[in-house]
């Protein structure tokens, strides 16, 4: 049974959004040596494009969060399976997330980061799906908004498939 993918955000639209976000971050963080923390795995492509477009000196770290249960029905059980390796005390931190859905993942990570006393903690997300929000999230730098639908591509997966696609698609399951 094949998945049917419907294009939602073509690569050109993603590129424009990433460039805009990078410009905003450069305006706010030039000279501050920000630390970008990518939330694995989904953010790896977005982070790569974002840091190259920002054109400012910065550092990079990663954190891996796993949300148990399928993303169709969030269990609310978010676990950190790989933590950051950088001391973020008094650092300017930007959390980089591919998609904000229920908001549960970011809430867990934000609380964890705040406890480490950064100078500044901002959130940069490529896509948000407001309709499924369960926990409020203040997204400081937002690229694109989507209605409901399961998204894949540009880092986003369905059962680990489709992360490599340059565009973002809605996956429609055949029944
Ligand atoms: C996805 C996505 C976000 C999170 C958003 O990660 O990359 O991190 O879900 O959902 P939420 O707002 O409902 O918490 P996932 O747990 O699927 O892991 P992955 O990044 O490794 O694909």
């Amino acid at each position: 049974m094949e998945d049917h993918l419907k294009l939602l955000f073509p690569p050109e639209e993603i590129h424009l959004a990433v460039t805009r976000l990078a410009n905003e971050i450069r305006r706010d963080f030039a000279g501050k040596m920000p630390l970008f923390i990518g939330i694995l795995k989904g953010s790896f492509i977005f982070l790569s494009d974002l840091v190259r477009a920002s054109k400012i000196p910065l550092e990079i770290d990663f954190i891996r969060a796993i949300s148990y249960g399928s993303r169709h029905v969030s269990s609310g059980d978010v676990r950190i399976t790989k933590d950051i390796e950088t001391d973020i005390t008094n650092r300017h931190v930007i959390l980089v997330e591919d998609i904000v859905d229920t908001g549960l993942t970011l809430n867990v990570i934000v609380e964890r980061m705040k406890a480490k006393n950064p100078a500044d903690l901002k959130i940069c997300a490529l896509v948000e799906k407001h309709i499924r929000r369960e926990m409020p999230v203040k997204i400081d730098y937002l690229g694109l908004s989507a209605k409901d639908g399961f998204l894949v591509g540009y880092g986003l997966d369905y059962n680990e498939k489709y992360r490599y696609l340059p565009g973002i698609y809605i996956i429609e399951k055949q029944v």
Side-chain angles (χ1 to χ4, degrees):
M1 187 167 53
E2 280 191 17
D3 302 326
H4 182 254
L5 305 185
K6 194 174 121 199
L7 185 61
L8 181 64
F9 299 122
E12 300 74 24
E13 191 173 349
I14 295 171
H15 177 72
L16 283 176
V18 172
T19 304
R20 174 174 56 76
L21 294 175
N23 289 340
E24 291 173 16
I25 288 172
R26 180 168 59 249
R27 177 196 67 202
D28 296 346
F29 287 94
K32 293 182 175 172
M33 189 60 83
L35 176 71
F36 285 49
I37 299 179
I39 302 175
L40 294 171
K41 298 181 191 175
S43 72
F44 79 107
I45 291 179
F46 176 40
L47 180 79
S48 310
D49 285 346
L50 186 68
V51 296
R52 282 178 290 184
S54 74
K55 298 179 188 143
I56 54 170
L58 53 85
E59 293 178 11
I60 294 168
D61 204 340
F62 293 97
I63 191 167
R64 168 105 168 102
I66 291 184
S67 184
Y68 282 90
S70 82
R71 262 206 283 146
H72 293 287
V73 187
S74 175
S75 66
D77 182 9
V78 177
R79 287 185 207 166
I80 307 297
T81 59
K82 184 229 169 289
D83 208 346
I84 55 169
E85 295 162 12
T86 311
D87 179 3
I88 64 168
T89 312
N90 294 325
R91 294 293 305 269
H92 295 278
V93 174
I94 301 171
L95 289 172
V96 179
E97 180 63 291
D98 49 327
I99 186 164
V100 183
D101 195 351
T102 64
L104 294 168
T105 303
L106 264 176
N107 264 279
V108 168
I109 292 175
V110 163
E111 288 312 308
R112 195 179 180 93
M113 294 302 122
K114 273 186 185 166
K116 297 173 189 281
N117 298 315
D120 199 3
L121 183 64
K122 300 288 188 202
I123 292 174
C124 177
L126 180 62
V127 184
E128 68 128 13
K129 282 201 302 190
H130 190 73
I131 201 164
R132 281 174 37 94
R133 197 66 36 81
E134 291 177 23
M135 299 281 281
V137 176
K138 182 176 173 290
I139 303 173
D140 302 285
Y141 305 96
L142 174 66
L144 303 160
S145 292
K147 297 198 176 74
D148 209 4
F150 199 96
L151 307 187
V152 297
Y154 199 74
L156 290 158
D157 75 307
Y158 175 71
N159 287 343
E160 294 302 325
K161 293 190 290 185
Y162 308 121
R163 292 193 197 273
Y164 64 93
L165 294 173
I168 294 178
Y169 297 76
I170 297 175
I171 186 166
E172 294 168 345
K173 299 298 292 174
Q174 304 281 330
V175 283

